[in-house]
Amino acid sequence: MIEFKRSVCSHDCPDTCGLLVGVENGRVVSVKGDPEHPFTRGAICVKVNHYPERVYSPLRVLHPLKRAGAKGEGKFERITWDQALDETVNQYRQIISESGGEAILPYSYAGTMGVVQFHAGHPFFHKLGASKLLRTICSAAAEAGFAASMGNIPTTDIETSVNSDLIIIWGSNTLVSNMHAWPFFLEARRNGASIVVIDPYKNRTAKEADRHLKLKPGTDAALALGMMHVIIKEELIDKEFIGRHTTGFEQLAGRAGDYPPPRVENITGVPAAEIEWLGREYAQARAPYIRTGWGPSRQIKGGMAMRTIALLPGLVGATHTKGGGIIRSTSAAFAFNMNAVMRDDLAPSGVRSINMVQLGQAMTAVDDPPVKALHVYHSNPAVVAPDSARVLTGLAREDLFVVVHEHLMTETAMYADIVLPSTTSLESTDLYRSYGHYYLQMASPVIEPVGETRSTLAIFNDLAARFAFTENCFSETEEERIRNLLNSDSPYLEGITLDNLKEGRPIRLNVPEDIFSNGLGTPSGKIEFYSQSMADQGLDPLPDGEPSIDGEGEGRFDLQLITPPRHQFLNSTFNEIEYLRNKAGKPIIIIHPEDAATRGIEEKMRVRVFNDRGECCLYAHLTEDTAPGVTVIEGLYWPRFMPNNRGVNQLTSQSLTDMGQSCAFHCNLVEVKPSSD
Ligand SMILES: Nc1nc2c(c(=O)[nH]1)N[C@H]1C(S)=C(S)[C@@H](COP(=O)(O)OP(=O)(O)OC[C@H]3O[C@@H](n4cnc5c(=O)[nH]c(N)nc54)[C@H](O)[C@@H]3O)O[C@H]1N2
Ligand SMILES: Nc1nc2c(c(=O)[nH]1)N[C@H]1C(S)=C(S)[C@@H](COP(=O)(O)OP(=O)(O)OC[C@H]3O[C@@H](n4cnc5c(=O)[nH]c(N)nc54)[C@H](O)[C@@H]3O)O[C@H]1N2
Ligand SMILES: [Mo]
C-alpha cells in the first residue's frame, strides 16, 4: 500500500512546493504536489515529478569514497565513515599547522534551501578559522540594486497580482523558473489584465504573453529610463505619492530627460514607439504589477539595472495599490534568529573572505596563504561556477585536498579526495522558507537514509566532535536548530512554533496585506530616486542607462551570449535523470538566422562557441526568437553530456558586478563557428 507523506521541495527555486511523497515498503515510489499548499496548489514541475529517479539514481553515492586514481578521473575505493572523517580531520590539522585556517575554503550554495542544512557548516568553519565564503553567485547584485531603491524588504505577494490590470514580467522566465506564479497571472488576465514580457529572447514565458519587448541584454536601466522619460514628460506621474513616499524626484527628472525614446531605442534595440507605449500603459494602469527576475542583474551593471527597474512603482504610486506593486523576493520576511545557525561570533576577527564567483582565481592565484583544502557541499562548482577552465585547473591541483558531500557522482565529486554520501531532503529534517511566497514549512524524513548517507548537519557534528569542539551548537539536532531559529522577535513569525510546524503543513507568515505598510527599508524610509548611500559608495546616485558590456571580450567578439535556466534542469541538478535529459534534448545555442548565415551555420549544425576564456560545442538552432547579435544557451548540462565534454561556463567570467559582487552570467561576448571536431 502506498502511503502519502507531506514534504517540501528543497531545491533552489522561488516556489518551494508542498509535496506529497508516496512511500511503499520504505521506498519512495512517487512524488506529487500537495493540493492543500495555498501557493503551489497541487502542481509540481516536470523535474520533481521524476524525483524517485533522483533518490535511487545509479549515480547516487551510497557510502564514503576515497580517491584511487588521478584527480578528476572518477576512480574511487569504498572506505568507512570513520576512515573518511579521520582522514579529513588529519589533513585539516596538518594544513592549519602549516598554513593557518585560512588555507581551508568552504564552498557551498543552495543545493538544499533548508535553513538548517544550508548553514550546517558555518559554525564549524568559523571555529576552524577557515576563509569565509561570500555566497554571492546568485542574487547579491539583484538584492543590492533593489535595496538601494526600496530597501532590503519583502515585496508584493504574487497572490495579490490577481487584482492587477497590467503584469510586466521583467527578466524572468516565469513558466520555467517560477511556474506557480503563472496561474495567478492568468487569473489576472481573465479579469482583463495583459501580460508583457521584457527579455532578450522569446522564452517559454514570452511565447504565452500578450506582448514581448526584445531588448538587448544589459540595457534594462536604459529601457526603464526611457519609460520614465515618457511618464514624466506626459505628466502621468502620481504627484501626491511622489511627495509623500519618494526622495529626489527633481534629480531623477533631470536624468530621465537624457533618455528620450529614440536614444533608448539605439541602446536597447526596442523601437521608440514600443517604449512610449509601455511607459503610457504602465502609468495609466490602475494596478501595474512587476515581476522582476534575476536576468537583469546577471550583468556587469546588474545592480544598477535592478535599482532602476525598482524605481518605476515610485513614479506612479503602484506599491500601495491593491493588485499593483513589485516582487523581487519574499525572503526578507522570513526573519529568523540567524545567529542560531551562522554563529559568526565563532570566527576569528579579521579572517579573510573569498568570493565564490572567483573560485577559479582562489584556487589558482590566491596566495598568503594559498587555498590548500576545498570543502564542497550543496553545490557543483565544476559546472555552475563561471570561468570553468580556471575552476577545473584548480580542482586538478595535486596539492589541493578536496572534500565533497554529494548525493551523486557529479563532475565536482569526480575531483574529490574524499566523497561523503549525503541524505536528500526526503531523508532529513529541515525548515523551508521561500523567496517566492509567504509560507513556512517544516519537513521530516519520509524514508530512512538511503545507503550509508548522512545529513550535512550530522557530518559537521561528526567532524566537530573529532576536533573536540565543545560549543552546544556542535551537538544540536535539526529540531533544536529550528527551535532556536524561531527565537526571533519578528512580528512576521509571531505565533509560529516548532510544535505547529511539526504538523508538516505550510504556515503563512503574519505579513500585512499591504507589504509596504510599515515603510520602506531605505535610509530615508522612502523610495530613493536619488540615493545618498550610493553616492557614499562612490556610485552614481541616480539611475544610469549605460549598457553592460563584457569588458574582456569587447572589440574581439561580436555576439552577445546569455545563459539562462533550462526547463528540465535546475542549475546543474537533474542531469542525472535520463528522462529529463531526453526531454532537454541535445544542447543547443539559439542564434538569429542572419548571424548564422554570415557564418555559414545551418540548423542543427554542430558549432564551436568560444571567447578568450574558453569554448564549448553545441548544436545550432536558428530562430527569430532572438535578435541579431544575441545568442542564448539554456541550462547547465553536465560537461559529460556536452559534445566535447565542456560546459557553458567555459565562456562566462569571474568579473564582479557593480553592486553586490555577484556574477554576470548573462554578460558575455563570444564567436560561433561551424565545428569539425
Ligand atoms: N527550471 C528551472 N528553474 C529554476 C532554475 C533552473 O535552473 N531551472 N534556477 C533557479 C534559480 S537558482 C534561480 S536564481 C532562479 C532564476 O530565475 P530567473 O530569474 O528566471 O533566471 P535568470 O537566469 O535570471 O533569467 C531570467 C530571464 O532573464 C533573461 N535575461 C538575461 N539577460 C537579461 C537582461 O539583460 N535583461 C533582461 N530583462 N532579461 C535578461 C533571460 O533570457 C531569462 O529569460 O530560477 C530558479 N528556478
Ligand atoms: N552559466 C550559468 N551558470 C549559472 C547560472 C546561470 O544562470 N548561468 N545560475 C547560477 C545560479 S542562479 C546559481 S543559484 C548557481 C547554483 O549553483 P549550485 O548551488 O551549485 O546548484 P546546483 O547545480 O543545483 O547544484 C547543487 C548540488 O548540490 C547537491 N545537493 C542538493 N541537496 C543536497 C544535500 O542536501 N546535501 C548535499 N550534500 N548535496 C546536495 C546536488 O546534488 C547538486 O549537485 O549556479 C549558477 N550558475
Ligand atoms: Mo540562483
Side-chain angles (χ1 to χ4, degrees), residues 134-137 140-141 144 355-358 655-663:
L134 298 176
R135 291 176 171 79
T136 55
I137 201 164
N355 190 312
M356 69 189 302
V357 173
Q358 298 179 325
S655 300
L656 301 178
T657 54
D658 57 346
M659 300 171 75
Q661 303 196 335
S662 198
C663 188

Side-chain angles (χ1 to χ4, degrees), residues 411-546:
E411 249 80 1
T412 307
M414 305 254 263
Y415 281 91
D417 292 281
I418 300 285
V419 186
L420 303 176
S422 301
T423 48
T424 68
S425 54
L426 302 186
E427 301 148 56
S428 53
T429 300
D430 219 322
L431 182 65
Y432 297 92
R433 60 183 165 189
S434 166
Y435 56 97
H437 60 64
Y438 285 113
Y439 300 89
L440 179 63
Q441 194 170 4
M442 180 174 163
S444 304
V446 299
I447 52 166
E448 291 292 313
V450 173
E452 294 183 7
T453 57
R454 294 185 186 175
S455 77
T456 310
L457 184 66
I459 296 172
F460 282 113
N461 283 349
D462 290 341
L463 288 168
R466 281 171 165 73
F467 276 100
F469 294 162
T470 52
E471 285 79 357
N472 286 344
C473 62
F474 295 116
S475 52
E476 278 164 2
T477 62
E478 278 87 355
E479 275 195 24
E480 284 164 335
R481 288 231 169 151
I482 293 172
R483 194 191 296 278
N484 295 340
L485 278 164
L486 295 172
N487 185 13
S488 146
D489 53 15
S490 165
Y492 298 143
L493 296 172
E494 207 179 298
I496 301 179
T497 64
L498 177 61
D499 282 340
N500 52 36
L501 282 165
K502 275 172 85 168
E503 287 169 21
R505 289 172 191 274
I507 300 179
R508 189 169 169 88
L509 300 183
N510 300 301
V511 288
E513 197 180 314
D514 173 2
I515 195 79
F516 299 115
S517 56
N518 297 330
L520 292 136
T522 53
S524 63
K526 297 179 173 183
I527 296 177
E528 297 195 346
F529 294 138
Y530 179 95
S531 163
Q532 187 56 47
S533 67
M534 287 184 69
D536 294 345
Q537 295 166 60
L539 298 166
D540 191 337
L542 288 170
D544 160 21
E546 277 297 302

